[in-house]
């Protein structure tokens, strides 16, 4: 048996043909605002709740259909048809402004609710090339870099020296702290570029993700301080 579910992501309408599949659910939490809701997904169950008291629990969890980075879970409950769509599309929380790696859509009866899922830190983890500092392209031939690790540490090449430090993600944004570096001397241009990079870290207040998948470290005043690419 198959079911058609119409959803909208980023202004583009998608019509998904969903057939029962055998893919396994992955642990994930998604939330939305106005109205406030939350859904928790695991291999065992899907639990959906709203601030107004509405709840839906699917146990065992239905197997999702997965295609092109979109997972669809669907079931019929005592309250009627229920569907959950999780897409690998960056979602910006409407209250905090924090980027999340997943967009989630809950369809419960006549309601269609859109929210964000996954851990924001997943968008940062890994090694990045520094492409711009304060809107200025890096010196040709230099290779500044920045890596975010799962343990909350950062490290990279400042342009001349290796640096290290920590980062913190909260509901309010992103901060970088405790940055230290080795003390090797290089050409003055590289030293100046490194100084600008390390100085930029001191005023990071949040991050966002561009259409190209690159990360931008943003200051408290909204200026893009550092542009990162893979």
């Amino acid at each position: 048996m198959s079911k058609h579910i119409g959803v909208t992501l980023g202004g583009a309408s998608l019509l998904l043909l969903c057939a029962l599949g055998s893919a396994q659910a992955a642990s994930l939490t998604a939330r939305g605002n106005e109205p406030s809701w939350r859904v928790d997904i695991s291999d065992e169950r899907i639990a959906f709740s709203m601030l107004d008291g509405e709840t839906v629990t699917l146990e065992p969890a239905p197997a999702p259909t997965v295609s092109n980075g979109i997972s669809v879970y669907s079931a019929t409950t005592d309250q009627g048809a229920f569907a959950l769509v999780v897409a690998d599309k960056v979602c910006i929380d409407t209250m905090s402004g924090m980027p999340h790696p997943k967009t989630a859509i809950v369809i419960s009866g006549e309601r269609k609710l859109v929210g964000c899922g996954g851990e924001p830190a997943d968008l940062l983890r890994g090694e990045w090339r520094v492409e711009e500092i304060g809107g200025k392209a890096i010196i040709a031939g230099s290779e500044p870099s920045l890596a975010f690790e799962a343990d909350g540490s950062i490290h990279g090449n400042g342009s001349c020296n290796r640096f290290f430090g920590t980062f913190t993600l909260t509901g309010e944004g992103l901060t970088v702290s405790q940055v230290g570096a080795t003390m090797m001397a290089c050409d003055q241009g590289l030293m100046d570029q490194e100084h600008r990079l390390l100085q930029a870290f001191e005023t990071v207040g949040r991050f966002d993700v561009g259409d190209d998948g690159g990360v931008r470290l943003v200051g408290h005043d909204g200026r893009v301080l550092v542009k990162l690419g893979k």
Side-chain angles (χ1 to χ4, degrees):
M1 185 175 84
S2 64
K3 181 180 294 185
H4 291 81
I5 300 174
V7 300
T8 301
L9 290 175
S13 293
L14 301 177
L15 189 64
L16 306 179
L17 178 62
C18 307
L20 293 181
S22 58
Q24 293 298 306
S27 296
L28 180 77
T29 295
R31 297 179 177 85
N33 308 306
E34 298 179 351
S36 179
W37 59 270
R38 169 178 173 141
V39 64
D40 294 290
I41 310 165
S42 71
D43 291 338
E44 291 76 31
R45 70 175 190 157
I46 294 176
F48 167 73
S49 61
M50 295 192 63
L51 191 61
D52 65 9
E54 178 183 343
T55 63
V56 174
T57 300
L58 307 179
E59 192 170 11
T65 23
V66 182
S67 177
N68 298 321
I70 300 175
S71 299
V72 181
Y73 308 79
S74 58
T76 300
T77 72
D78 293 340
Q79 297 100 314
F82 178 88
L84 169 63
V85 181
V86 181
D88 292 335
K89 179 178 175 61
V90 173
C91 174
I92 307 300
D93 185 274
T94 56
M95 293 189 70
S96 68
M98 179 71 74
H100 292 69
K102 308 281 188 182
T103 296
I105 300 174
V106 172
I107 303 169
S108 180
E110 298 300 314
R111 288 185 174 183
K112 184 161 72 173
L113 307 167
V114 181
C116 300
E119 294 298 325
D122 290 344
L123 294 168
L124 293 173
R125 287 189 187 122
E127 185 159 356
W128 300 85
R129 290 181 293 106
V130 175
E131 296 180 341
E132 293 181 5
I133 305 170
K136 185 176 179 181
I138 64 168
I139 296 171
S142 64
E143 297 182 345
S145 64
L146 170 61
F148 294 87
E149 301 293 350
D151 63 359
S153 65
I154 62 167
H155 59 87
N157 180 350
S159 292
C160 175
N161 290 279
R162 300 294 299 176
F163 67 84
F164 45 87
T166 62
F167 74 96
T168 304
L169 268 176
T170 66
E172 287 70 46
L174 167 70
T175 56
V176 176
S177 58
Q178 298 179 331
V179 178
T182 58
M183 301 185 69
M184 185 171 67
C186 294
D187 292 342
Q188 190 61 47
L190 294 177
M191 296 295 290
D192 291 343
Q193 178 171 272
E194 179 171 278
H195 177 71
R196 289 191 294 113
L197 178 61
L198 299 183
Q199 207 170 37
F201 291 157
E202 297 176 3
T203 53
V204 171
R206 62 180 180 87
F207 79 97
D208 62 26
V209 180
D211 293 337
D212 60 356
V215 165
R216 296 185 291 255
L217 306 184
V218 182
H220 295 286
D221 58 1
R223 290 187 304 115
V224 176
L225 302 173
V226 181
K227 184 178 179 181
L228 306 171
K230 286 293 188 182

